[in-house]
Each structure stands twice: as C-alpha cells, then as structure tokens.
Amino acid sequence: MPSSRRLVLSRSAALIGAASTGLLLPEIVRAQGAKIRVGLMLPYTGTFAQLGVAIENGVRMAINEQGGKLGGREIEWFKVDDESDPSKGVENASKLVQRDKVDVLIGTVHSGVQMGIQKVARDSGVLSLIPNAGVHAATRALCAPNVFRTSFTNSQPTLALGKAMMDRGHKKAVWITWKYAAGDEAFEGFKESYTKAGGTIIKELGLPFPNVEFQSLLTEIAALKPDAVACFFAGGGAAKFMRDYAAAGLKGKIPLYGSGFLTEGVLDAAGPAADGVITTMHYSDSLDTPRNKKFRLDYAKAFKAQPDVYAVQGYDTGLLLVQGANAVKGDLGAKPALYKAMEGAVIDSPRGKWTMSKAHNPVQDMYLRVVENKENKVLGVAAKALSDSGAGCKMG
Ligand code: PHB
C-alpha cells in the first residue's frame, strides 16, 4: 500500500493536469482517504519492556473506542523497538519518519532516547507525541509546535514529594537514582521541594542506567542512617530495588519514598517488599472515580492485565490524537488547526481531567500514594494543578 504522502506526491503531476478537467476534487478526497500512518517507537526489550507494552495497549484502547479510526480514517501501524538505547535514538526515529513516512510518531519511555526523537521531530516537523519520557528540554528549551507530551516532566512528581516527607517528620534524607536525565531531573524536583520544606539531603547516590547492582549502595545507606530514602527507579529495576532494599534489612527501619514510577506495574514482581512505600504520582490505581473504574475494567477485559500509569499515559496519548484528528476530519496535514485543537484539548483521563500547558506538557494533580496489598492507595492530593515551568520554551 502506498502511503498517503506518496500517493499525493506521485499524483501531483497528474493533479496539475487534472485541475482543468474537474478531476481534482475526487483525487484529493482519495488521497485523504488513505490510511493514517501511526509510528510507535517504544521499548519492547530491556528493563522498560513492560512499560512500552502498557503504553501501546493504552494508545490502541483509546483508538479502538473510536472504531479503530482517526478522524474517520483507517490506520496503518509501524513499530520500532528502541531498546531504551539513546545511541540509536536518532536512527530509530528516522526509520519511522524517513522510511515509513509516518504521519505521527508516538514515543518513547527513556529520556535519553527522547532526545533523539526530539531532534528528528524538530528537523522533520512530524507530529510527535511523548507518552512517557520526562526529559525537561522537550517542553522547555527545545519545545516545538509539533511536539506534545501527555505524561509529565521528570521533576513534576518529585516537586510534590519533599513536603510530604517533611510532614511525616523525616528531616534528613538520602537520594538514590539511575544517573541519567530522568534521575537527575527527578532529583532537581526533590531537592527544590525537600529543602524548601526544611529538609536536608545528606547524600546523593547513583548508578548508571540500567544497572541493578544495588548492594554496595544499600550498605552505604545503612551506614548513613538517614530518616528516609527518596529515589527514582522504574520498570524491572524498580522491582529489584525494592526487593533488595528489604533483603538488606532496611525496610521497616528507614522509610522508602519515591516518584511513583517506583511502584508502577511492578507490584507483583516486588511482592511484600513494596508494602508501605510512599510515592507521589499523577495517577493512582485506587482513584475512586467512575472514569477510572470504567477504564480499569475495560483495560483488564481487553488486555488481561491491570493498567498502570504507563497504560494511562498511552490511553491519554490516544485521546489527544483522537481529539486532534477529529478537529481536522482526519487531515493531519492541516497543521495549524491540528495544533490548535490539541493545545486546547481537555483530556478526560482516568487520572482526572488535565489540560496542556503553553509548552505542551500536562497541567495535572499529583497524588500521594502508599502501597497496600499490591495496590497504590491514594492518601490525598500532594499538589493541585501542577504545571512545569516550561523555562526557555519559545514556540517557533
Ligand atoms: C525517563 O527516562 O524519562 C523515564 C523512564 C521511566 C519512567 C519515568 C521516566 O518511569
């Protein structure tokens, strides 16, 4: 099948000739009737593999709710496993944009890989929807009219964490993370919120992504005896961190906190080691709203799995794309109208309604949650309508 773009290009000469014969309109209608090419660039292997699957499920669920179409047009899917490998980010994004000629690129999870996508999106102008990766630059200094994020910035969840820890009387904390953009920027949010609330960070610990040899760092934490530990980990590595934390004898002695990714999608794998872990996040399984309950039931039915924050972010990416595509009746080439619709969208998400900031990042509530019986239970709202600063964003 030729792509809509190829169809338009290969027929452009014929169209010029046809203009005088009255054939132009049917030709254009046919070109617009071609399938919309949707590219998924996600991790399907490695420590973030299950995050990629949950995101894809969510995207497909939102579009299936529209009969599997976007703005009335059928879809052709293209998939690339980005392996959470930043060194292949540009190459993999280029495969989708140059080779597969996608109309929209949905991806990805890892902040380093996202920087590759951002470059390709800025150079090509292709519509780029970020369903997870929180790297600040994508909606700050390197923001772009064709790039929209449906998830968070890396410092958003941890900006809500510091006060919650101080409220519980933890005045001295150790921070630990994978040393790459996501961990470093999560630390920025934690440092700002915790020190502002009067806390002291006595040590910053780190290891390279996706390393999971936590033992020597846990020994160091035991020796430092902080009031609490705060961290950023996600996916398979997060489950192992919580198990190792318990096995090292720290659970029950030094309370463990984190941005909520720590306990997303891993509660079966972590088992009792996750009980009592307190986190801040823009979603919680137990949100007691009809919207969330219906979402969770429908997702479980469709995919025989429990949804997590990644599934919600994928679903919201689909909702955003549906709203945009409907506004332009499936003509994703109508960029000003498409962007305007997406900028003004109110996303009726399982996490609660959210809107787009000027820099194209969600303005959203952050919940305080605790793990109980393999569920993230809501303790309250830790920050209301939290917006990223969008510092340095100038839409070109
Ligand atoms: C990121 O690299 O931006 C990232 C990865 C996994 C998460 C959150 C952020 O759960």
Side-chain angles (χ1 to χ4, degrees):
M1 273 300 279
S3 74
S4 60
R5 199 166 311 174
R6 279 193 209 120
L7 200 63
V8 173
L9 282 181
S10 61
R11 291 178 185 216
S12 57
L15 284 177
I16 293 163
S20 55
T21 69
L23 285 170
L24 185 56
L25 201 58
E27 283 288 345
I28 288 174
V29 167
R30 231 168 107 188
Q32 285 193 357
K35 291 183 178 175
I36 293 187
R37 300 166 80 85
V38 179
L40 295 171
M41 178 164 155
L42 293 166
Y44 294 104
T45 52
T47 201
F48 289 160
Q50 68 184 39
L51 286 58
V53 171
I55 289 169
E56 176 175 348
N57 288 348
V59 171
R60 287 186 186 267
M61 184 171 153
I63 293 174
N64 285 343
E65 287 174 0
Q66 305 295 310
K69 292 186 177 179
L70 280 172
R73 287 172 66 188
E74 306 264 353
I75 296 172
E76 190 166 356
W77 298 88
F78 298 84
K79 276 170 69 162
V80 168
D81 175 8
D82 68 37
E83 305 165 51
S84 294
D85 183 347
S87 74
K88 296 185 195 153
V90 167
E91 184 191 331
N92 280 328
S94 299
K95 272 188 202 160
L96 288 170
V97 174
Q98 312 300 340
R99 182 193 67 191
D100 300 332
K101 308 254 181 294
V102 296
D103 299 298
V104 49
L105 193 167
I106 297 174
T108 189
V109 168
H110 184 287
S111 276
V113 180
Q114 197 67 47
M115 289 303 282
I117 297 180
Q118 191 76 4
K119 177 169 176 11
V120 172
R122 284 167 61 95
D123 289 351
S124 66
V126 76
L127 178 61
S128 161
L129 305 182
I130 309 174
N132 185 74
V135 63
H136 285 165
T139 55
R140 290 193 185 177
L142 294 179
C143 75
N146 54 313
V147 176
F148 293 82
R149 178 152 44 201
T150 58
S151 49
F152 54 87
T153 56
N154 285 324
S155 57
Q156 255 182 325
T158 42
L159 273 173
L161 187 61
K163 183 171 181 307
M165 288 173 66
M166 280 303 285
D167 286 349
R168 281 161 181 71
H170 309 310
K171 299 190 180 116
K172 287 187 306 172
V174 167
W175 169 262
I176 179 167
T177 192
W178 278 316
K179 290 297 293 172
Y180 80 105
D184 294 343
E185 293 176 352
F187 178 67
E188 274 180 43
F190 175 63
K191 187 174 168 191
E192 184 179 329
S193 62
Y194 190 60
T195 54
K196 200 166 141 199
T200 305
I201 300 165
I202 58 172
K203 186 99 187 185
E204 255 186 272
L205 298 172
L207 70 174
F209 174 88
N211 194 318
V212 290
E213 297 309 317
F214 300 118
Q215 201 48 57
S216 63
L217 297 167
L218 293 170
T219 306
E220 199 173 340
I221 290 172
L224 286 163
K225 296 194 177 55
D227 297 340
V229 170
C231 69
F232 164 82
F233 291 109
K240 178 153 191 306
F241 181 71
M242 288 187 285
R243 285 198 312 266
D244 287 3
Y245 195 87
L250 298 178
K251 184 176 161 51
K253 285 202 194 125
I254 306 175
L256 179 59
Y257 287 77
S259 64
F261 307 111
L262 181 65
T263 60
E264 285 296 321
V266 299
L267 293 178
D268 281 332
D275 281 337
V277 173
I278 295 183
T279 61
T280 42
M281 180 95 300
H282 44 282
Y283 178 66
S284 180
D285 321 349
S286 72
L287 283 177
D288 191 11
T289 59
R291 185 75 180 100
N292 187 42
K293 285 186 168 159
K294 178 169 166 33
F295 169 77
R296 294 193 69 84
L297 265 178
D298 291 350
Y299 186 98
K301 243 189 248 166
F303 304 107
K304 312 280 175 271
Q306 289 302 316
D308 53 22
V309 73
Y310 309 106
V312 170
Q313 291 167 180
Y315 183 69
D316 289 3
T317 303
L319 293 183
L320 179 68
L321 187 54
V322 163
Q323 287 200 26
N326 283 346
V328 294
K329 300 197 170 52
D331 179 9
L332 296 194
K335 294 192 172 178
L338 176 68
Y339 299 162
K340 191 159 174 260
M342 292 172 73
E343 281 168 349
V346 177
I347 302 299
D348 186 12
S349 167
R351 71 182 99 164
K353 285 197 174 125
W354 61 267
T355 55
M356 270 302 164
S357 72
K358 284 210 174 73
H360 297 179
N361 188 69
V363 178
Q364 57 192 336
D365 295 345
M366 288 290 152
Y367 305 99
L368 186 65
R369 310 114 39 99
V370 63
V371 176
E372 262 176 46
N373 301 323
K374 299 199 174 170
E375 206 188 9
N376 286 296
K377 290 255 159 68
V378 184
L379 294 173
V381 175
K384 193 88 196 130
L386 187 66
S387 182
D388 186 74
S389 74
C393 169
K394 290 190 192 72
M395 289 290 171

